[in-house]
Amino acid sequence: MGDVLERIRSCLVDLNRECVLENVEKALNEGYSATKIILGPMSDAMKEIGRLYEEGEYFIAELIEAADIFKDVMKKLDKLLYEEASKKKTSLKRLKIVIGTVKGDVHDIGKTLVSVMLQAAGHEVIDLGVDVDADKFINALREYKADILAMSALLTSTARYMRVVIEKLKEVGLRDKVFVLIGGAATTEEYAKEIGADGWAKDAIEAVNIVNEIAKRR
Ligand code: B1M
């Protein structure tokens, strides 16, 4: 990792907002893309902060502060992120995607990132926010006649709820009509297969690639 990227990572781990913002500016001047900054050092720092929380060195207050700094940087890079993801815009069919973080889970940073990048890539995104239950997902899928259901989960406990949503989709006769994409730190490709999802993305870029692939086939 370049020096400036490493500084972004360590400043965020130290929860030093000014230092993060200053180095993000420097990284942009050095030619790093907004996507690289967000998916690289910023995301790595959040994982490290999670580890420090697990080890009892950080508490909820630190997680909240880290999320706030992350959102500040997202605000700063918003336009650039959008422009960079727009390069993935294709003349393919524009798909409708219903997205949300599942019931019981309020982590929204990764989900929002995915949502922004899918929109920038030219798709229509209906973002239901966080703590979304099966009925809310189903109502939105019906109302917007969506092609894709995209669910995010950061907690092991809430990732289990994705299976509940998929079962409900079967009950109401929607399972064969939508592509189910899942993601978030509590999920894996194996887990996606296990619960009968159609796809899993490790990050926002992969999510856009998967959705564009589906668009190609329509
Ligand atoms: Co919480 N939290 N948190 N947290 N938090 C984690 C997830 C945790 C791993 C930390 C840890 O212990 N190591 C742990 C979960 C452990 C587990 O279950 N396996 C945890 C815990 C335990 C909790 C609480 C239970 C703590 C408590 O209250 N005792 C609590 C739960 C609240 C709830 O949801 N009910 C809680 C609360 C919070 C805050 C509210 C304080 C805050 C979130 C603020 C917010 O989101 N507005 C917070 C934070 C910040 C974190 C960590 C540190 C960072 C998450 C983050 O924003 N990462 C996190 C540590 C970690 O993830 N290792 C942690 C940056 C973001 C860009 O990454 O969201 O992973 P991420 O998204 C990525 C990919 O996953 C992917 O794309 C993104 C990158 O491009 N992706 C998708 C995400 N969604 C996708 C969907 C897709 C495709 C890709 O398609 C549909």
Side-chain angles (χ1 to χ4, degrees):
M1 210 191 285
D3 279 358
V4 70
L5 299 185
E6 173 48 31
R7 278 200 297 277
I8 294 172
R9 195 199 64 82
S10 61
C11 294
L12 179 52
V13 172
D14 293 342
L15 304 173
N16 186 338
R17 187 185 304 258
E18 242 173 68
C19 176
V20 173
L21 290 167
E22 195 182 298
N23 282 291
V24 164
E25 195 62 49
K26 278 190 194 154
L28 291 174
N29 289 335
E30 286 184 22
Y32 288 105
S33 69
T35 313
K36 170 89 188 165
I37 293 168
I38 291 288
L39 297 186
M42 293 293 296
S43 296
D44 289 349
M46 294 304 260
K47 284 183 198 142
E48 175 65 8
I49 287 161
R51 197 187 60 77
L52 291 169
Y53 170 76
E54 244 174 274
E55 288 184 353
E57 273 192 54
Y58 275 4
F59 299 93
I60 286 288
E62 279 84 11
L63 297 192
I64 293 173
E65 179 65 9
D68 199 60
I69 299 173
F70 200 108
K71 286 185 178 185
D72 239 12
V73 173
M74 284 268 279
K75 226 185 276 162
K76 186 180 168 71
L77 299 183
D78 204 23
K79 248 179 105 185
L80 279 173
L81 276 174
Y82 199 88
E83 276 169 25
E84 290 166 15
S86 299
K87 292 185 186 139
K88 287 200 175 259
K89 211 170 189 163
T90 61
S91 54
L92 304 168
K93 189 175 186 296
R94 185 172 188 246
L95 297 179
K96 277 190 202 168
I97 302 142
V98 164
I99 190 168
T101 301
V102 297
K103 186 176 157 186
D105 200 325
V106 301
H107 295 86
D108 70 345
I109 295 178
K111 182 270 302 163
T112 303
L113 203 54
V114 173
S115 175
V116 167
M117 290 177 102
L118 285 171
Q119 285 177 59
H123 300 289
E124 181 179 344
V125 179
I126 300 102
D127 190 338
L128 302 178
V130 297
D131 192 21
V132 183
D133 68 16
D135 288 341
K136 199 167 175 195
F137 277 128
I138 286 168
N139 290 339
L141 288 170
R142 282 186 171 139
E143 181 180 348
Y144 296 96
K145 295 190 172 45
D147 308 284
I148 296 177
L149 169 61
M151 294 188 280
S152 177
L154 272 278
L155 301 172
T156 313
S157 55
T158 59
R160 288 192 205 112
Y161 190 71
M162 292 171 160
R163 192 196 290 271
V164 174
V165 179
I166 293 176
E167 287 308 313
K168 275 248 173 157
L169 288 179
K170 288 181 192 161
E171 277 171 34
V172 301
L174 273 179
R175 182 65 193 93
D176 298 334
K177 298 190 174 71
V178 292
F179 183 98
V180 178
L181 175 66
I182 69 163
T187 65
T188 60
E189 191 161 18
E190 290 67 41
Y191 184 67
K193 282 186 189 138
E194 187 191 317
I195 64 170
D198 300 303
W200 173 81
K202 84 167 188 317
D203 59 26
I205 293 182
E206 216 173 279
V208 170
N209 289 343
I210 291 174
V211 170
N212 280 349
E213 272 306 311
I214 301 164
K216 263 190 213 163
R217 288 188 248 127
R218 303 262 166 133

